Amino acid sequence: AQSVTQLDSQVPVFEEAPVELRCNYSSSVSVYLFWYVQYPNQGLQLLLKYLSGSTLVKGINGFEAEFNKSQTSFHLRKPSVHISDTAEYFCAVSDRSTGFQKLVFGTGTRLLVSP
Amino acid sequence: GAVVSQHPSWVICKSGTSVKIECRSLDFQATTMFWYRQFPKQSLMLMATSNEGSKATYEQGVEKDKFLINHASLTLSTLTVTSAHPEDSSFYICSARAQQGSYEQYFGPGTRLTVT
C-alpha cells in the first residue's frame, strides 16, 4: 500500500529565509502528487500538484515543488517565506492501484515563520 | 469556483446522541465525495467514499453502522455519527470531486465534533 513520509514534523524558519519541506512516497508505480496547506481550524487548500510533464511544478503563494522519480520525492520549496506562511503542510499521493481516485496523506509538517 | 462548504463548523453533543454533518458543493456537481477524519496534530485519514445515488464505500476499520453516509444529490453528502462517544471527538473534513476521472479533490473547511 502507498505511504507518504514527511520526515519533519515541524520546521522553524525566520521570515524571508528559504525553506524546504520534505516529502517521500513509497510506491514506484505511476503517481500523482499534491501539496496542501491547512490553516488552524480550516480545511485544506491545494498549493500545487504534479500529474505529468515538467518535474518542476509551480503553485500558489510562491511555492514550488520538484518531482524526483528516482528518489521518490516531491519536496516543497519557497525562496523567501512570510509570517503568513505559518501553517500545516500536507503532502498527498494517489496512484494507479486506486485509479488515482484516493489520496494518501503524509503526517504533515508545521511551518513556523518568525520575525 | 469549486467551493465546498460544511455545516456545522463546530458542534458539541452529549455521549449517546447522534449528530449529522453536511457537506455541500456550492458551485459544481460532485459525483464523488470523500469523508476524512483528522485527530489533533495528525494527518487526514480517509473514512469513506460516497458516490451520488449509491452506497458509500468504507475504508477498513471504519464502522459503517456508526458513521452513516448519505449522498442523495450531486451537491450534498451527509455524515451521521450515531451514538457518539468521546473517542469520536475529532475534526471531520469532506472533499468533493467534480467529475468522473477527475483527480482533484476540493476540500471543505471541516467540522469539529466534541462529544462530552
Side-chain angles (χ1 to χ4, degrees), chain A residues 101-102, chain B residues 30-35 48-58 69-77 95-101:
Chain A
Q101 302 304 305
K102 292 186 179 181
Chain B
T31 55
T32 305
M33 287 185 169
F34 303 86
W35 285 96
T49 303
S50 75
N51 292 295
E52 185 265 339
S54 61
K55 290 185 177 181
T57 303
Y58 290 80
I69 292 173
N70 184 279
H71 192 164
S73 77
L74 284 172
T75 59
L76 173 64
S77 176
S95 71
R97 197 170 64 203
Q99 59 191 25
Q100 285 289 67

Side-chain angles (χ1 to χ4, degrees), chain B residues 52-96:
Chain B
E52 185 265 339
S54 61
K55 290 185 177 181
T57 303
Y58 290 80
E59 295 299 302
Q60 192 172 7
V62 178
E63 298 176 60
K64 59 181 67 176
D65 293 332
K66 181 167 186 61
F67 298 100
L68 301 178
I69 292 173
N70 184 279
H71 192 164
S73 77
L74 284 172
T75 59
L76 173 64
S77 176
T78 59
L79 168 68
T80 302
V81 183
T82 63
S83 186
H85 288 96
E87 57 265 30
D88 298 325
S89 298
S90 191
F91 196 52
Y92 292 88
I93 301 176
C94 74
S95 71

Side-chain angles (χ1 to χ4, degrees), chain A residues 32 34 36 38 41-46 49 51 88 90 94 99-108 110, chain B residues 34 36 38 41-44 46 49 57 59 91 93 97 100-110 112:
Chain A
Y32 293 162
F34 306 81
Y36 290 88
Q38 184 182 34
N41 295 310
Q42 295 186 29
L44 275 67
Q45 180 182 3
L46 181 67
K49 62 186 176 187
L51 303 182
E88 191 83 22
F90 291 97
S94 62
F100 302 100
Q101 302 304 305
K102 292 186 179 181
L103 288 173
V104 175
F105 285 86
T107 51
R110 179 168 297 278
Chain B
F34 303 86
Y36 295 86
Q38 184 181 30
K41 301 187 186 303
Q42 294 189 28
S43 188
L44 282 75
L46 180 64
T49 303
T57 303
E59 295 299 302
F91 196 52
I93 301 176
R97 197 170 64 203
Q100 285 289 67
S102 171
Y103 305 116
E104 187 164 348
Q105 296 179 27
Y106 301 96
F107 286 81
R112 182 160 302 282

Side-chain angles (χ1 to χ4, degrees), chain B residues 4-24:
Chain B
V4 175
S5 70
Q6 281 183 242
H7 178 80
S9 56
W10 176 72
V11 59
I12 299 176
C13 70
K14 291 187 176 180
S15 186
T17 62
S18 296
V19 61
K20 180 184 287 188
I21 302 170
E22 292 184 349
C23 176
R24 292 181 185 273

